[in-house]
C-alpha cells in the first residue's frame, strides 16, 4: 500500500500545519504531507512549510470561486491526494468542490477541519476571543468533517478544557492551541494507522 497523501490548506500563522508536518515525519512513511496550500501570499504558513521541506502552493482567488476551486482541484488531482486537512483556512469550500473531491474517493468525505471551540458553540472566526468575552467556564477543541457550512460538519472528536477566569486571553489561546496541536496530530496518526476508513484516490481519474 502506498503512503497516504495528505494536503494541508491554511491561510495564516501555520502552527497547526507545522505540528502536522512534524508529526508526519515521525510516522515512518505510512503517510506524507504532499503539500501545503494557501490562498494568501503573506501567510507565514508558507515559509514554515518550506523550512520543513514541504512543497507549497499559493492559489489566490483572482477570479470567481469556481475558477479558484478548479485550480485547487487540479493540484489535488495531480498529487493524487487522499485527505485534505484544513488548518486555519479562511474560506468555505463549495458543495461542488466537496462533491468532486468525494467522487475521487468512493464518494467518501475526506476533508477535515480543526476548530478552537466545542462546536456547535462559537463557530466561525475569533472563536476563542468570543468565548473569553463570555467568560465561559469551559471551552475546547473540535475536529470535524467539512461540509459547505461554517464549521457545521459531522464531529469526529472533541476535548474540553476548563479555564480559570483569572487567566488572560493570551493564556486561553496558548492552552487551546496546545490542545489543537495534540488533537490534530493524534488524528493524523489515526489516519496512518488505518483507524479512519480511507478511500484512496481512484487512479482512473
Ligand atoms: C486555529 O485555531 C484553528 O483551529 C483555526 O484557525 C487557527 C489556525 O491557527 N481553524 P494556526 O495558523 O494553525 O496557528
Amino acid at each position: 500500500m502506498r503512503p497516504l497523501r495528505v494536503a494541508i490548506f491554511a491561510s495564516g500563522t501555520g502552527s497547526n500545519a507545522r505540528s502536522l508536518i512534524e508529526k508526519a515525519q515521525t510516522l515512518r512513511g505510512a503517510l506524507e504531507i504532499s503539500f501545503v496550500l494557501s490562498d494568501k501570499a503573506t501567510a507565514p504558513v508558507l515559509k514554515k512549510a518550506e523550512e520543513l521541506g514541504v512543497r507549497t502552493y499559493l492559489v489566490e482567488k483572482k477570479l470567481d470561486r469556481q475558477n479558484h476551486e478548479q485550480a485547487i482541484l487540479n493540484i489535488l488531482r495531480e498529487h493524487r491526494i487522499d485527505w485534505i486537512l484544513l488548518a486555519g483556512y479562511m474560506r468555505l469550500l463549495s458543495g461542488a468542490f466537496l462533491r468532486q473531491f468525494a467522487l475521487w474517493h468512493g464518494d467518501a468525505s475526506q476533508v477535515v477541519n480543526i476548530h478552537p471551540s466545542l462546536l456547535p458553540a462559537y463557530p466561525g472566526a475569533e472563536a476563542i476571543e468570543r468565548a473569553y468575552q463570555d467568560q465561559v467556564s469551559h471551552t475546547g477543541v473540535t475536529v470535524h468533517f467539512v461540509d459547505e457550512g461554517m464549521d457545521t460538519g459531522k464531529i469526529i472528536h472533541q476535548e474540553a478544557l476548563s479555564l480559570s477566569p483569572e487567566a488572560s486571553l493570551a493564556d486561553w489561546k496558548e492552552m487551546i492551541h496546545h490542545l489543537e496541536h495534540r488533537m490534530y496530530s493524534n488524528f493524523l496518526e489515526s489516519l496512518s494507522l488505518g483507524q479512519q476508513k480511507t478511500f484512496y484516490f481512484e487512479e482512473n481519474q
Side-chain angles (χ1 to χ4, degrees):
M1 196 62 96
R2 67 163 172 78
L4 271 186
R5 297 196 186 112
V6 176
I8 299 173
F9 289 10
S11 307
T13 314
S15 70
N16 279 284
R18 175 168 59 200
S19 113
L20 288 169
I21 293 167
E22 286 172 350
K23 181 68 183 185
Q25 288 166 350
T26 71
L27 295 176
R28 296 161 192 268
L31 173 155
E32 66 176 41
I33 305 293
S34 303
F35 60 83
V36 169
L37 180 143
S38 185
D39 58 332
K40 274 190 79 175
T42 54
V45 68
L46 290 168
K47 187 156 177 267
K48 281 197 179 74
E50 278 155 21
E51 281 169 4
L52 291 163
V54 172
R55 179 168 192 169
T56 59
Y57 285 95
L58 171 64
V59 187
E60 292 177 287
K61 183 170 166 291
K62 296 232 166 87
L63 300 166
D64 55 31
R65 186 188 204 188
Q66 200 185 342
N67 270 289
H68 185 234
E69 290 191 334
Q70 188 55 53
I72 296 173
L73 284 166
N74 293 345
I75 297 169
L76 292 165
R77 184 168 50 198
E78 184 190 325
H79 286 269
R80 309 280 189 259
I81 294 298
D82 303 307
W83 285 85
I84 300 172
L85 301 191
L86 307 185
Y89 187 63
M90 301 304 283
R91 236 171 238 291
L92 293 178
L93 297 170
S94 72
F97 176 97
L98 293 168
R99 273 192 298 282
Q100 177 60 76
F101 191 70
L103 277 176
W104 291 337
H105 308 88
D107 228 2
S109 164
Q110 294 186 169
V111 185
V112 171
N113 183 39
I114 189 157
H115 185 75
S117 76
L118 292 176
L119 291 171
Y122 303 105
E126 314 234 305
I128 304 177
E129 287 82 349
R130 286 182 286 131
Y132 183 78
Q133 247 170 25
D134 292 348
Q135 282 292 301
V136 294
S137 61
H138 66 278
T139 180
V141 171
T142 305
V143 175
H144 65 95
F145 286 108
V146 171
D147 65 13
E148 287 169 75
M150 174 78 83
D151 302 319
T152 48
K154 184 167 169 258
I155 291 172
I156 300 170
H157 183 54
Q158 287 188 307
E159 280 189 41
L161 263 181
S162 314
L163 291 161
S164 130
E166 287 97 63
S168 66
L169 176 59
D171 293 337
W172 278 42
K173 286 187 174 169
E174 195 186 324
M175 286 175 68
I176 291 170
H177 288 314
H178 188 72
L179 176 58
E180 286 188 322
H181 300 160
R182 179 167 62 69
M183 284 173 61
Y184 228 6
S185 294
N186 288 346
F187 177 75
L188 195 73
E189 184 161 28
S190 78
L191 287 185
S192 76
L193 294 172
Q195 291 166 346
Q196 285 283 336
K197 172 92 185 130
T198 287
F199 289 84
Y200 281 76
F201 185 98
E202 289 172 358
E203 285 300 335
N204 55 350
Q205 299 306 316

